[in-house]
């Protein structure tokens, strides 16, 4: 019924929010403000760890961020963009 549709819509919105966070974190850095935005996004993701979001969604966005940082290092891209988020332990 309607409650099932609402639950599925909420789950879809949550997945899209996590995908948007991934996109923001892997976007190339062009100026200092971009780095500041990425740090804010890392804090938002960290804050979600205190909520009952599915761990696999939290883990996926954290993995994406870590991989993006690795790619930046391997390609020798902007050193200013290299930072390690201070993730809250979730498992």
């Amino acid at each position: 019924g309607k409650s099932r549709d609402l639950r599925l819509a909420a789950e879809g919105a949550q997945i899209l929010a996590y995908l948007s966070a991934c996109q923001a974190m892997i976007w190339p850095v062009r100026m200092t403000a971009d780095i500041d935005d990425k740090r804010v996004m890392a804090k938002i993701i960290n804050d979600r760890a205190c909520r009952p979001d599915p761990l696999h969604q939290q883990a996926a966005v954290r993995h994406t961020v870590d991989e993006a940082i690795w790619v930046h290092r391997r390609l020798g891209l902007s050193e200013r963009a290299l930072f390690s988020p201070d993730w809250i332990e979730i498992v």
Side-chain angles (χ1 to χ4, degrees):
K2 289 186 180 185
S3 63
R4 181 180 185 277
D5 292 345
L6 183 59
R7 182 179 54 80
L8 290 175
E11 288 175 4
Q14 189 175 42
I15 290 168
L16 288 174
Y18 271 102
L19 289 174
S20 294
C22 288
Q23 183 180 15
M25 292 302 291
I26 63 174
W27 202 259
V29 170
R30 294 191 174 92
M31 59 185 91
T32 303
D34 292 340
I35 297 171
D36 295 339
D37 290 342
K38 287 176 185 283
R39 292 184 192 281
V40 168
M41 184 61 62
K43 181 179 178 349
I44 291 169
I45 295 166
N46 249 352
D47 290 346
R48 297 301 303 179
C50 302
R51 300 201 160 103
D53 289 356
L55 291 180
H56 67 279
Q57 289 180 12
Q58 294 184 44
V61 74
R62 292 161 191 255
H63 178 73
T64 300
V65 171
D66 288 341
E67 288 298 309
I69 291 169
W70 180 83
V71 168
H72 269 78
R73 285 191 178 113
R74 294 288 291 167
L75 295 177
L77 299 176
S78 175
E79 282 296 316
R80 299 177 307 126
L82 300 178
F83 67 94
S84 295
D86 185 21
W87 302 126
I88 294 171
E89 294 296 327
I90 60 173
V91 267

